[in-house]
Amino acid sequence: SQQGEEDPQALSIQEGENATMNCSYKTSINNLQWYRQNSGRGLVHLILIRSNEREKHSGRLRVTLDTSKKSSSLLITASRAADTASYFCAPDSGGYQKVTFGTGTKLQVIP
Amino acid sequence: GAVVSQHPSRVICKSGTSVKIECRSLDFQATTMFWYRQFPKQSLMLMATSNEGSKATYEQGVEKDKFLINHASLTLSTLTVTSAHPEDSSFYICSARAGLGDNEQFFGPGTRLTVL
């Protein structure tokens, strides 16, 4: 298994601004998944990007993947107060290995 | 997306009692389920990996006799915290994988355990 490391650890922005968070990992992957966790809740699956994809969109979310740099980014455009949460990445090396998590990026969107 | 439920969502118990938490995949069959624990302001820590019909694989430092995991069917896994103590108070989250396609992992809403 491997664990993604999110950066920055914390991010505070005004509502309407864009939020960018990054994820780095160590070994080759089949795909990489991004999750959101609101305080005291379980994780919500946001988006999955495969290793042969470079960019993927879902609503206000844009995810990029650079396998040469072993990194991914999650961009949230036109942020809302409801986007306030912790965001985690999960690089998946395939073979149905276990998934472990880093400390995440704690995003605060100020109304 | 796929739905995973957990029951109960919140439980308060006395020290020394055992607590069972259920994790169900509602609309897919989960070949693998994972149990995580999360302390306040910390990340999720993987406790164990559970495959249907076989014994769970525990992470280092997790007592398998204290945290009993049963994955008896493709839609249900249970975690029993035996002889719970206040230090076991935490947020327990399960997740499930279908083992197909992109192998996405779907999470339950979590169970808040408070041991008095």
Side-chain angles (χ1 to χ4, degrees):
Chain A
S1 70
Q2 66 170 310
Q3 178 175 299
E5 296 295 337
E6 297 87 358
D7 176 71
Q9 289 191 358
L11 181 60
S12 183
I13 59 173
Q14 295 289 329
E15 198 165 33
E17 295 180 340
N18 295 341
T20 300
M21 51 205 88
N22 304 295
C23 169
S24 60
Y25 57 92
K26 291 190 168 67
T27 61
S28 62
I29 59 171
N30 280 4
N31 64 62
L32 186 142
Q33 300 168 52
W34 282 92
Y35 295 87
R36 182 187 74 227
Q37 184 182 32
N38 292 88
S39 181
R41 302 287 185 90
L43 272 68
V44 174
H45 188 273
L46 293 176
I47 197 165
L48 178 149
I49 186 165
R50 299 187 182 95
S51 60
N52 61 352
E53 296 175 314
R54 292 295 166 258
E55 189 170 308
K56 200 162 182 179
H57 297 253
S58 176
R60 294 185 295 111
L61 305 180
R62 182 172 78 101
V63 168
T64 63
L65 179 64
D66 187 335
T67 53
S68 66
K69 294 181 179 178
K70 294 186 172 58
S71 68
S72 174
S73 68
L74 171 65
L75 168 68
I76 303 174
T77 60
S79 64
R80 304 168 183 169
D83 295 327
T84 295
S86 291
Y87 291 82
F88 298 90
C89 67
D92 191 335
S93 300
Y96 308 115
Q97 293 185 36
K98 59 188 178 184
V99 176
T100 56
F101 292 89
T103 54
T105 291
K106 190 167 185 176
L107 172 66
Q108 182 185 25
V109 181
I110 302 168
Chain B
V3 179
V4 176
S5 70
Q6 269 184 254
H7 178 79
S9 58
R10 190 181 295 266
V11 57
I12 300 172
C13 68
K14 292 182 179 179
S15 187
T17 60
S18 294
V19 175
K20 181 186 280 188
I21 303 169
E22 291 186 350
C23 176
R24 292 181 185 272
S25 56
L26 297 185
D27 50 2
F28 67 101
Q29 292 187 325
T31 54
T32 305
M33 287 184 168
F34 302 90
W35 286 95
Y36 294 84
R37 181 168 53 182
Q38 186 177 35
F39 292 107
K41 299 186 179 180
Q42 294 187 23
S43 186
L44 284 77
M45 299 301 297
L46 180 64
M47 299 175 68
T49 302
S50 167
N51 292 300
E52 185 268 337
S54 63
K55 289 183 180 179
T57 302
Y58 290 81
E59 293 299 299
Q60 193 172 7
V62 178
E63 300 174 58
K64 61 182 179 182
D65 293 331
K66 180 168 182 64
F67 299 99
L68 301 178
I69 292 172
N70 187 312
H71 192 167
S73 77
L74 285 171
T75 59
L76 173 64
S77 176
T78 60
L79 167 68
T80 302
V81 183
T82 62
S83 187
H85 291 282
E87 57 265 30
D88 298 323
S89 298
S90 188
F91 191 53
Y92 292 86
I93 307 174
C94 73
S95 69
R97 271 180 169 168
L100 301 171
D102 288 319
N103 204 31
E104 289 151 288
Q105 190 171 347
F106 298 97
F107 285 80
T111 296
R112 174 77 58 193
L113 171 63
T114 302
V115 185
L116 303 176

